Amino acid sequence: MTATRPTTTVETGPDGAATPLLTVDGLTVRFGLRDATVHAVTDLSLTVRSGELLAVVGESGCGKSVLAHALLGLLPANATVTGRALLHHVDAAPIDLLGCGEPTLAGQVRGRRVGLVPQSPATALNPVRTGRRLVEETLRAHGHGREAARADAERLAADVGLDPADLDRYPHELSGGMAQRLVTALALAPDPPLLLADEPTTGLDRPLVDHTLDLLRRRCDAGGAVVLITHDLAAAQRVADTVAVMYASRVVEHRPADRFFAAPVHPYGAALLDALPDRAFRPVPGHPPMLTDLPAGCAFAPRCPHRTDLCRTAPALSSSAFGAHACHHPIESGDTP
């Protein structure tokens, strides 16, 4: 099921293509441990355009959340980050999120040009401030007057499906789902052009899941962009324009959502879809590799029914007009002009 989509109003370039808001090239993240290295994200490249909702999917531990935190400079001190991530703006030079430094990230990027819906609201909320104070302080920090902030806080609460009366509660008085809706309201308050939503539907029942997804979809239809990090493939199918499938720190498939859900190319993408209750309801066999001990070749090969000796070498990401995949033995997808 997909959300009803109004006419999209997005900025376009001279060729009619939507304007890139974020261009990531070769993002690699490593965490140094005492006696091991965690390969959290490896050589990730993607572009997010105005009006686009990109869903990043994959099993837990594949690197999805690390991607979001790397873009905002929120990784621990033992992280090593390389690559480039350009945040574009029509009236200014692009900012390299991976190289600009903390003053620029704190003063120009976080909450202003890029918003974050965190995966763990309990650790993101100030425990000694009510939800109302948190939202109003955020709005006032971004130029709203006192009276406007009060009215807009009520509107934001309603937008995310939170009873405005619940804004007067402290974080410890909120249920998990209510806290999730509050952090979504906080991320939306400054109206950033790009929103990174890390599992934004955690703890919500199905009607509120759909409500939140439709809210994110409307932001894109109004010209913004959303990177939706989720393990919920039904959520991705409902609202996504494009899907990036991550496995063991790498993107292994990146294609338009309608084509991915109709006919995935990578065997891992196919296995994820086969695990859905409305499909084969068959779990992906085996387990992902440890990110401290990745195989030299295709990381999915030990779980893949199509593996051959060729899979002992790592496949390159192969691009076409219909997206990209990294597999020596892609599944026939019907991707022909």
Side-chain angles (χ1 to χ4, degrees):
M1 183 178 181
T2 57
T4 301
R5 302 186 183 186
T7 302
T8 303
T9 55
V10 301
E11 294 182 358
T12 58
D15 60 355
T19 304
L21 290 183
L22 176 69
T23 306
V24 182
D25 184 20
L27 171 61
T28 297
V29 180
R30 300 287 184 258
F31 295 111
L33 305 180
R34 179 175 298 178
D35 52 5
T37 299
V38 178
H39 299 253
V41 177
T42 302
D43 197 23
L44 183 147
S45 298
L46 54 81
T47 297
V48 183
R49 298 182 179 276
S50 173
E52 179 181 4
L53 196 152
L54 166 67
V56 182
V57 303
E59 292 167 292
S60 297
C62 67
K64 304 188 301 295
S65 294
V66 175
L67 162 64
H69 287 85
L71 294 176
L72 289 176
L74 298 175
L75 296 177
N78 66 332
T80 300
V81 182
T82 58
R84 188 170 66 163
L86 296 182
L87 181 65
H88 302 275
H89 192 280
V90 65
D91 295 322
I95 296 174
D96 183 0
L97 300 178
L98 306 183
C100 63
E102 178 60 22
T104 299
L105 289 171
Q108 300 182 38
V109 176
R110 294 191 202 113
R112 292 167 172 80
R113 292 172 63 177
V114 183
L116 173 67
V117 180
Q119 185 176 15
S120 302
T123 60
L125 297 171
N126 189 324
V128 299
R129 282 176 165 77
T130 64
R132 185 179 303 278
R133 184 172 176 185
L134 288 169
V135 176
E136 289 185 7
E137 285 180 347
T138 300
L139 289 165
R140 291 178 65 186
H142 291 275
H144 293 241
R146 185 181 297 273
E147 294 301 319
R150 183 175 295 113
D152 285 342
E154 299 264 331
R155 175 186 57 79
L156 280 166
D159 283 349
V160 300
L162 187 67
D163 187 333
D166 290 326
L167 288 176
D168 295 315
R169 297 172 181 261
Y170 287 92
H172 74 274
E173 298 176 306
L174 301 175
S175 69
M178 293 162 68
Q180 185 66 58
R181 281 171 275 167
L182 177 57
V183 295
T184 300
L186 288 167
L188 295 176
D191 195 25
L194 175 63
L195 185 67
L196 307 178
D198 191 359
E199 303 287 2
T201 58
T202 300
L204 305 183
D205 59 25
R206 197 71 237 177
L208 282 171
V209 168
D210 292 343
H211 178 95
T212 300
L213 294 172
D214 292 347
L215 176 64
L216 298 179
R217 180 67 254 173
R218 288 194 297 273
R219 288 189 62 78
C220 296
D221 293 331
V226 174
V227 177
L228 171 64
I229 295 169
T230 183
H231 66 276
D232 186 346
L233 289 171
Q237 186 171 15
R238 180 180 177 88
V239 294
D241 296 298
T242 49
V243 174
V245 182
M246 287 191 71
Y247 184 77
S249 83
R250 294 181 180 272
V251 170
V252 296
E253 185 165 357
H254 184 192
R255 301 171 69 229
D258 56 350
R259 291 184 175 273
F260 170 73
F261 285 104
V265 172
H266 196 284
Y268 177 61
L272 285 179
L273 294 183
D274 280 346
L276 293 175
D278 60 348
R279 300 209 181 192
F281 205 24
R282 181 173 57 243
V284 184
H287 302 280
M290 297 290 293
L291 294 183
T292 54
D293 188 26
L294 293 177
C298 174
F300 187 63
R303 309 171 72 184
C304 182
H306 306 284
R307 65 181 178 271
T308 66
D309 288 344
L310 185 60
C311 302
R312 294 176 181 173
T313 61
L317 197 65
S318 175
S319 299
S320 72
F322 303 103
H325 66 271
C327 183
H328 293 301
H329 308 292
I331 301 169
E332 288 293 329
S333 65
D335 277 353
T336 55

